[in-house]
Amino acid sequence: MKRTLFSGIWAFTLLTVFATSAALSLAVYGRASGALREATRREAESISGALRLAGSAYAAQLEKDPQEGSVCILKAGGGVLYDSGGGETVSSGGEAAVADAWKNGSGEAAFASSLPGKREVSCARRLSDGAVLLVTNHGNGLLLTMVSLLPATLPAAALFLLLAAVFARRKRKTAAAAISALDLENPLANDTYEELSPLLIRIQKQNRELWEKTERNNKRRAEFSAVTQHMREGMVLLDGKACVLSMNPSAMELLGAPEGDYQGKHILTVNRDLALQGLIRKAEKGESCQRLLTRDGRHCLVMAGPVLRKEEAGILLLLLDVTDKQNAEQMRREFSANVSHELKTPLTSISGYAEMIKEGLVQPRDVPEFAGRIHEEAGRLILLIEDIMKLSRLDEETARPPKEQVELLSLSRSVSERLAAQAKDAAVSLSVSGGEGTVWGARRVLEEMIYNLVDNAIKYNRPGGSVQVTVIPGEDAVSLSVKDTGIGIPQEERERVFERFYRVDKSRSKQRGGTGLGLSIVKHGAAFHGAKLEMSSKEGVGTAVRLRFAAGGRKI
Amino acid sequence: MRTKFDEQLEFLNTELIQMGALCENAIASAAKALLEGDDELATAAIALEGEIDQKEREIETLCLKLLLQQQPVARDLRTISSALKMITDMERIGDQAADISEITRLQNIKTSDSKLHINEMALATIKMVTDSVTAFVNRDLDLARSVIVYDDVVDDLFDKVKGDLIQLIEQKKSDGEYAIDLMMIAKYFERIGDHATNIAEWVEFSITGRHKEGQTV
């Protein structure tokens, strides 16, 4: 920029100076050559006048510096009468002037001199004696004129060049300052040289394109993160070096990473589980794989997949919380084991008794007793299967019993009447109290629930104890509680008693009867009615189970 | 040049985390094997020792290479020298976890004795190792200092285990082999706690340039 600007300005200045001096030289030269011609003519006049007066004697006195010019007199018949230059001076131009003088009495001619760069002006006059006087003067040629002017033009050129340099420098600085002072964010708001406006317009256009592109990217990223942020599954994207590109909150929670920004950090700083490391190493080799991570009792299924595209490599990790699934699996396994055990025990007895009778090992008078036992065990089996069927009915989403308005107090009364005999046998007093409370539910299921609760309360009671059923209708809830003075449930078992076949009494002794499914039916029934199930218990003092239903309405 | 060095330092960092994770796993396996009598886990802990030794050699080579080729100064030098010290402690943790597992495999210790303080001690030691590695990973000065303080808890527990065993012997409730084995294990746990403390101290050093509140290096 600087160089081209300077050389341009300098070349232009030099050209100007040169052209000016050339024009000047031309003018000076024209004027000087006119003056020279006039002077030569005058000289010739004066010499010819002098020669007329003084005669040829004067000729001998004539002298002229050969640098300036020459004077010579040519005789009429030819031959030189006098020559200041010594006979060599009559040049071709001179001859032309002399020839004119012979013919017309006078002649003039101008021509290039034999001296380098000079011009000659000759003037010839016929004298009275018939001889011809030739005066020649030398003057500067055009080039010499120009050279002679150099002492004036050179300093001028130097001065101009200097001025041009200073000017260019100043301009360059102001232009640079103007450009650097531009506000490129709002190019069109600038008040500057109009020469810059095409540039500014282009910048404005590019700015807008850039802004649109960024905006589009931002929007896309926001959409992406909005989707991933609210995913229940954990998602982690890793680059080729296993550093985090993106990680959603679920992933952070599942991996147990404390709050923080993990962008660009190695996955090891998030979680350094050896199983996870193994997964990532496999994925880095381009293998998809999955593994179960266990952390603080939570199970998390991690799937790792390599993302390969030409040179770029990355890993996608998907994390699923499978704790509930694992627990459900565990429960199902336990249930199957339990149900087969529960079904097998009575059948073994039945089969045993039947075999004894078949083999004739039983005295005929004992047969009724054995048959009674078989009957009893078969009854247990039927009871058990009935309970299992009830449970699976509640499990089935489709086969839900129809709902209606049910009054709990009268229902409790009818249930307790059914169990009165059993209570009497166990020496437990049974009472129902409270007000009428209507709920929206399935009568059969509700009856089953109350029955099971009261049945348990009687079974796990002590002789002389009591069972109290209370119905309390409230503004927006009806609560039903069954309180006993029984053996109670230890703190750590309180959650598990609602599981199928779970019994606090590990020996599973049959003396108390029951299938181990009672509370499970209560729990499912409560869930079916959207009721809240609470249990408070103290070992050796008693247990209270409370059900809270939404009052009367058709809510659910 | 600088970026290459940075990359190598990052690599050193991940290698150290990996080694830390191996140690955590070794001690957790050894403790679980001891408390639950799981022979498989004991074998796993012993197998991890070889892996930890291998890792130590790799990191050592890497550190020496960095020292020779890059001639680091200031913080980089601190990072590398503390890494060199840390791997020694980690390697010891691996060894002692393996030693615990070897004693466990002799089957002199029955899992039913879990009421003793050794249980608590194992958990406290695991916590120390995990916390010291976490402090390193997150450059967490506070956590590193809490590990250093927590060493007293493990030391107290060691005394309690010792007391338990003395009582057992006095009451002639246990044979000598059992008591001595358990004593050895308690000592190993106590040593592992010390090594975890060392790691935490080196973490502190690599962050602040001060080691054990001493001189600035």
Side-chain angles (χ1 to χ4, degrees):
Chain A
M1 172 74 181
K2 184 179 168 184
R3 182 169 295 178
T4 52
L5 189 70
F6 270 49
S7 53
I9 287 182
W10 273 359
F12 184 69
T13 315
L14 275 177
L15 195 72
T16 315
V17 170
F18 179 74
T20 317
S21 69
L24 194 67
S25 307
L26 211 62
V28 170
Y29 169 72
R31 198 168 269 208
S33 59
L36 190 66
R37 196 172 296 160
E38 191 61 30
T40 313
R41 205 177 291 143
R42 263 196 214 132
E43 201 181 344
E45 288 298 332
S46 67
I47 293 173
S48 66
L51 280 175
R52 206 180 312 129
L53 287 175
S56 55
Y58 178 72
Q61 289 172 14
L62 283 173
E63 256 177 39
K64 201 167 172 110
D65 181 359
Q67 287 296 317
E68 268 181 36
S70 61
V71 178
C72 65
I73 301 166
L74 302 164
K75 280 193 286 185
V80 179
L81 194 69
Y82 170 78
D83 187 354
S84 66
E88 301 277 327
T89 50
V90 182
S91 52
S92 54
E95 270 168 11
V98 170
D100 265 357
W102 287 127
K103 224 188 277 168
N104 308 324
S106 73
E108 281 178 22
F111 47 89
S113 159
S114 57
L115 291 168
K118 297 241 177 185
R119 279 181 69 79
E120 266 182 26
V121 175
S122 298
C123 188
R125 284 282 183 280
R126 202 165 59 204
L127 299 175
S128 50
D129 56 358
V132 169
L133 168 73
L134 176 66
V135 177
T136 306
N137 267 328
H138 296 294
N140 280 341
L142 185 60
L143 209 63
L144 267 179
T145 313
M146 210 184 267
V147 171
S148 68
L149 284 174
L150 271 185
T153 50
L154 272 185
L159 185 70
F160 280 131
L161 284 182
L162 194 71
L163 282 177
V166 171
F167 177 75
R169 205 180 146 82
R170 276 245 304 269
K171 272 291 144 197
R172 187 173 62 88
K173 268 193 182 161
T174 49
I179 290 172
S180 61
L182 286 179
D183 175 11
L184 293 180
E185 291 292 314
N186 310 299
L188 295 188
N190 287 302
D191 182 20
T192 183
Y193 305 114
E194 64 179 302
E195 289 84 354
L196 286 176
S197 47
L199 172 75
L200 292 177
I201 288 170
R202 230 169 70 199
I203 290 176
Q204 164 82 1
K205 209 172 136 199
Q206 279 182 354
N207 273 0
R208 196 172 331 119
E209 273 169 23
L210 218 73
W211 183 80
E212 275 167 9
K213 225 175 261 178
T214 332
E215 200 65 2
R216 222 170 21 239
N217 276 348
N218 281 349
K219 207 177 150 202
R220 211 166 286 169
R221 193 174 312 152
E223 280 169 1
F224 177 76
S225 70
V227 171
T228 53
Q229 294 283 310
H230 296 103
M231 261 165 71
R232 270 195 60 237
E233 296 80 15
M235 193 178 87
V236 185
L237 271 172
L238 302 177
D239 66 9
K241 286 177 188 154
C243 293
V244 176
L245 287 176
S246 96
M247 175 159 67
N248 65 358
S250 308
M252 272 164 78
E253 203 189 312
L254 288 172
L255 290 174
E259 282 289 309
D261 185 16
Y262 290 94
Q263 189 100 29
K265 286 196 182 161
H266 200 277
I267 183 71
L268 275 177
T269 60
V270 181
N271 186 302
R272 45 181 192 273
D273 193 289
L274 288 185
L276 185 67
Q277 282 186 44
L279 263 183
I280 289 167
R281 221 166 295 145
K282 260 190 179 175
E284 273 173 345
K285 285 182 195 145
E287 230 177 292
S288 289
C289 42
Q290 59 180 47
R291 203 175 280 185
L292 200 65
L293 292 189
T294 305
R295 203 181 57 77
D296 300 340
R298 306 287 296 171
H299 303 281
C300 172
L301 183 69
V302 185
M303 284 170 275
V307 184
L308 291 171
R309 230 186 56 194
K310 287 174 196 165
E311 289 113 61
E312 289 166 53
I315 299 167
L316 172 69
L317 291 182
L318 273 177
L319 300 102
L320 301 174
D321 189 347
V322 290
T323 312
D324 293 340
K325 208 175 140 201
Q326 287 273 319
N327 287 349
E329 194 91 346
Q330 174 95 14
M331 255 161 87
R332 195 159 301 137
R333 267 199 299 272
E334 276 176 15
F335 178 72
S336 336
N338 278 327
V339 83
S340 23
H341 175 79
E342 295 284 339
L343 288 172
K344 200 186 159 206
T345 323
L347 273 177
T348 316
S349 317
I350 293 170
S351 155
Y353 293 136
E355 193 180 4
M356 280 162 83
I357 295 169
K358 178 189 153 211
E359 296 294 331
L361 293 174
V362 183
Q363 301 287 326
R365 58 187 163 86
D366 290 338
V367 168
E369 194 198 330
F370 273 74
R373 284 193 194 162
I374 290 175
H375 181 248
E376 195 182 307
E377 291 293 338
R380 274 183 59 76
L381 209 55
I382 290 165
L383 208 65
L384 188 69
I385 289 167
E386 267 177 4
D387 274 358
I388 293 172
M389 276 162 68
K390 274 177 214 153
L391 263 179
S392 43
R393 257 205 303 277
L394 285 175
D395 277 344
E396 287 290 334
E397 295 279 325
T398 46
R400 293 193 153 189
K403 285 186 181 176
E404 57 191 316
Q405 302 270 353
V406 183
E407 203 284 296
L408 287 182
L409 190 67
S410 57
L411 191 67
S412 305
R413 288 234 163 85
S414 78
V415 168
S416 67
E417 271 162 31
R418 271 168 60 199
L419 284 164
Q422 199 183 322
K424 205 176 162 194
D425 287 348
V428 172
S429 65
L430 179 58
S431 66
V432 178
S433 61
E436 289 188 357
T438 310
V439 298
W440 180 252
R443 176 175 291 275
R444 202 171 45 72
V445 179
L446 287 169
E447 190 177 355
E448 203 70 52
M449 286 162 71
I450 299 169
Y451 182 92
N452 277 307
L453 282 176
V454 178
D455 186 40
N456 272 348
I458 295 169
K459 256 183 227 156
Y460 299 100
N461 219 319
R462 56 178 167 77
S466 69
V467 174
Q468 195 155 13
V469 183
T470 322
V471 178
I472 305 165
E475 283 248 331
D476 39 36
V478 178
S479 77
L480 181 145
S481 64
V482 179
K483 206 170 150 194
D484 66 39
T485 54
I487 55 174
I489 301 166
Q491 177 76 41
E492 61 269 23
E493 319 244 7
R494 239 160 257 176
E495 275 299 311
R496 300 208 65 188
V497 290
F498 293 104
E499 283 176 25
R500 294 165 192 193
F501 297 119
Y502 190 85
R503 291 189 204 207
V504 178
D505 183 5
K506 290 289 186 327
S507 61
R508 293 175 191 271
S509 63
K510 288 172 195 160
Q511 48 181 335
R512 293 191 200 267
T515 57
L517 290 171
L519 281 177
S520 193
I521 290 170
V522 173
K523 185 187 167 191
H524 275 79
F528 174 65
H529 286 95
K532 242 188 180 170
L533 180 58
E534 288 160 18
M535 171 180 265
S536 59
S537 180
K538 209 167 188 185
E539 253 179 292
V541 177
T543 307
V545 180
R546 198 154 72 121
L547 283 164
R548 283 168 65 89
F549 296 90
R554 309 169 60 94
K555 200 175 156 193
I556 293 160
Chain B
M1 197 63 188
R2 178 77 203 173
T3 48
K4 167 99 174 128
F5 182 40
D6 280 340
E7 241 169 57
Q8 281 171 317
L9 279 181
E10 187 54 41
F11 180 63
L12 173 64
N13 195 36
T14 55
E15 287 280 286
L16 276 173
I17 297 173
Q18 274 176 19
M19 188 167 174
L22 287 173
C23 286
E24 276 177 73
N25 219 280
I27 171 74
S29 301
K32 206 167 175 204
L34 169 70
L35 300 179
E36 292 173 11
D38 190 333
D39 201 45
E40 253 176 62
L41 276 175
T43 319
I46 293 169
L48 272 175
E49 191 212 344
E51 227 175 297
I52 292 172
D53 287 355
Q54 174 75 23
K55 206 80 191 168
E56 188 207 6
R57 274 194 294 279
E58 280 173 26
I59 296 177
E60 201 176 55
T61 315
L62 177 65
C63 285
L64 291 178
K65 203 173 91 181
L66 283 175
L67 284 176
L68 285 172
Q69 292 180 346
Q70 309 282 359
Q71 309 194 334
V73 288
R75 215 176 78 192
D76 297 336
L77 180 61
R78 281 210 305 271
T79 307
I80 295 172
S81 54
S82 54
L84 269 175
K85 299 294 289 182
M86 247 188 275
I87 52 172
T88 318
D89 284 311
M90 288 187 184
E91 191 265 339
R92 295 301 307 149
I93 292 177
D95 282 354
Q96 274 150 359
D99 289 342
I100 292 174
S101 292
E102 263 162 26
I103 296 175
T104 312
R105 284 174 79 189
L106 295 176
Q107 307 279 338
N108 284 328
I109 297 162
K110 285 148 218 96
T111 47
S112 52
D113 308 319
S114 56
K115 293 279 181 207
L116 290 173
H117 283 101
I118 192 82
N119 206 331
E120 222 175 299
M121 197 173 173
L123 295 179
T125 318
I126 292 174
K127 179 182 151 59
M128 276 186 81
V129 174
T130 308
D131 284 356
S132 65
V133 177
T134 308
F136 170 75
V137 171
N138 299 334
R139 299 260 177 272
D140 188 338
L141 197 57
D142 292 336
L143 189 61
R145 285 183 176 148
S146 79
V147 171
I148 296 170
V149 174
Y150 200 78
D151 189 40
D152 293 344
V153 176
V154 174
D155 288 351
D156 285 348
L157 280 169
F158 176 66
D159 289 341
K160 278 184 189 159
V161 171
K162 205 162 74 179
D164 288 343
L165 290 173
I166 289 170
Q167 262 190 342
L168 278 184
I169 294 170
E170 270 178 355
Q171 294 164 1
K172 298 213 162 66
K173 271 187 186 164
S174 100
D175 56 62
E177 217 169 14
Y178 166 74
I180 287 173
D181 277 357
L182 209 57
M183 190 63 212
M184 297 264 285
I185 288 175
K187 187 64 195 167
Y188 283 138
F189 275 133
E190 193 266 335
R191 287 301 302 153
I192 290 174
D194 290 348
H195 287 305
T197 310
N198 283 352
I199 293 175
E201 277 166 3
W202 288 115
V203 171
E204 190 186 15
F205 170 72
S206 73
I207 299 170
T208 62
R210 277 169 190 277
H211 188 238
K212 296 186 185 180
E213 300 290 332
Q215 292 167 290
T216 318
V217 179

